[in-house]
Amino acid sequence: MELARRLRWPGRGRTAAPSGTVDAVPGDKTRRTVRDWVVDVLLFGLAVLAWAWTWRSAPLHYVDTIPGWMVTIDPWVGALGCLALWWRRRFPILLGIAMVLVLALAATGLGAALVMVLTVAVHRNWLPATLVTVLHLVPSLLFGYENPPPGVTRWAYLTLILLMYLAPLGWGIAVRARRELIANLRREVDRARDEHRQRLAGARRAERERIAREMHDVLAHRISLISVHAGALAYRTTQADAGAGVPLKPGEVGGAIEVIRDNARQALVELGDVLAVLRPERGDRNGGPDPETGTAEQSAPHRSAPQPRLADIFRLVQEAQAAGQRVAFEMVCAPGAAESLRPAVQRTVYRTVQEGLTNARKHAGQAEVTVRVEVDPGTGVVATITNPVPPADARRRLADSSPRSAADLPGAGAGLTGLAERLALDGGTIEHGVVGGTFRLSTRLPWPA
């Protein structure tokens, strides 16, 4: 099996053999191309011309030193060797060895033997090609040493024989080296193309994750506020219809609807701001290539909306308080420290507080939330959000009494996961969990050098 594999002509679609094995033949194919047919016909024609010229030149100068039956079978064995060349691509080593026997019996097979030396050198590594050439060369040199032609010195004849075999061997090795070089260049191009494709896929994936984080941070806060007021309206209306509560006054309904409208509008505005910030990064601001399509963007550059900063945390807390959430807020900031922070760090702190308020609104009901932000060059930027965790029965009553409140908003931890990724990009850390009946979310960002 192994011998057959090594002697077989490797076909297209096979796994490439490791470098150095005899069947690692670049450029081999199971089907001959037009170029292959042209080369095969040309080499076969040269072998036939050599066969015809040798037969026409008979008798040779050494005819008296060989038996008569060899003279009789010479043209037929040589013709058989020429015909065997049509299988030279499939069995190069096997036919290369067989040509030693053909040349021992027929001088008319010299052309076919030289073609097989060339074939082995092209389709196999230098070692088997050299061994096959030596098998041909040794008996030829011995015979030429014993039977030099008239008028030619022995050493000149031996040199001619040596060159006659070394020329196709060297030519074949050069052809094979060129094919290997081209194959290696193609592999390098394919590998570079694959790496480029992987980089593009990674960039697309990172962009999708970034957009998802921004969408979550922007919309979760607003939608939770809308859900709180909508759930309160639904609950109060249901209670009034059942006679278990006081009907809503028109002013209360109008106020709740106004808050819902304002937060819905603000959610759309902030969503547009996120898209306006992300959209120019798909190409440069002068119509650079789009990583998705590889084409240049023709649209005008978008104006980036202002991103949230530390000062906006006050507004964020006021919005939560206006929606009915109980929030105790404290910011400890060294003089001039906030202005020296990068916008990305300030935005991350803002998103931390936003995520903490949103989670408290979802899962803690009307429990008071404590927000503390410390900004100091010595300790860095520390944001801490804590809120009591309602007991299991309280959470159950909350879910039963307010089926459409923020307590029922879906949450799979995506916000905390995205927040952790934000912090990791800036070298920060995050801690969250329940300790002593209190949920605590704490983030720390190092002070920029």
Side-chain angles (χ1 to χ4, degrees), residues 175 190 355:
V175 170
D190 292 340
E355 179 66 20

Side-chain angles (χ1 to χ4, degrees), residues 59-286:
L60 299 175
H61 66 279
Y62 55 82
V63 67
D64 296 333
T65 63
I66 59 175
W69 61 269
M70 291 184 63
V71 177
T72 303
I73 65 172
D74 189 315
W76 305 105
V77 174
L80 184 62
C82 292
L83 290 176
L85 294 180
W86 291 108
W87 290 271
R88 68 186 184 87
R89 294 177 181 269
R90 186 175 296 274
F91 310 107
I93 294 182
L94 184 62
L95 289 180
I97 296 174
M99 286 298 171
V100 177
L101 180 61
V102 170
L103 195 58
L105 297 176
T108 52
L110 177 61
L114 295 179
V115 170
M116 284 312 307
V117 170
L118 172 66
T119 300
V120 176
V122 170
H123 293 277
R124 293 296 182 264
N125 286 336
W126 66 271
L127 182 58
T130 302
L131 292 177
V132 170
T133 304
V134 170
L135 289 178
H136 283 263
L137 193 57
V138 169
S140 298
L141 290 175
L142 292 176
F143 185 82
Y145 183 81
E146 297 293 336
N147 302 279
V152 179
T153 63
R154 178 171 291 155
W155 295 109
Y157 188 48
L158 294 179
T159 302
L160 176 63
I161 295 175
L162 186 64
L163 294 177
M164 190 168 53
Y165 280 99
L166 292 183
L169 175 64
W171 185 15
I173 292 176
V175 170
R176 179 180 175 83
R178 178 179 177 276
R179 291 184 179 182
E180 287 181 339
L181 176 61
I182 294 175
N184 289 334
L185 292 176
R186 288 176 177 171
R187 282 193 293 268
E188 289 295 331
V189 170
D190 292 340
R191 181 161 53 248
R193 187 182 295 113
D194 291 340
E195 291 176 354
H196 178 65
R197 190 180 298 112
Q198 292 174 2
R199 284 195 299 270
L200 283 182
R204 297 187 189 107
R205 183 168 56 253
E207 187 71 5
R208 287 193 294 267
E209 292 173 354
R210 180 184 176 191
I211 293 174
R213 287 197 302 269
E214 292 291 337
M215 295 299 183
H216 177 276
D217 294 338
V218 168
L219 295 181
H221 175 69
R222 297 293 173 187
I223 298 301
S224 63
L225 290 175
I226 294 173
S227 179
V228 166
H229 287 81
L233 286 176
Y235 174 71
R236 292 285 299 277
T237 302
T238 302
Q239 293 294 96
D241 291 342
V246 179
L248 288 169
K249 297 178 181 180
E252 294 176 330
V253 176
I257 292 176
E258 184 177 355
V259 172
I260 292 175
R261 181 196 62 189
D262 292 342
N263 279 281
R265 183 187 296 114
Q266 189 63 27
L268 292 176
V269 171
E270 292 181 356
L271 176 60
D273 292 344
V274 170
L275 295 178
V277 171
L278 294 177
R279 192 177 294 117
E281 295 187 3
R282 296 170 61 82
D284 60 31
R285 294 187 176 271
N286 296 317

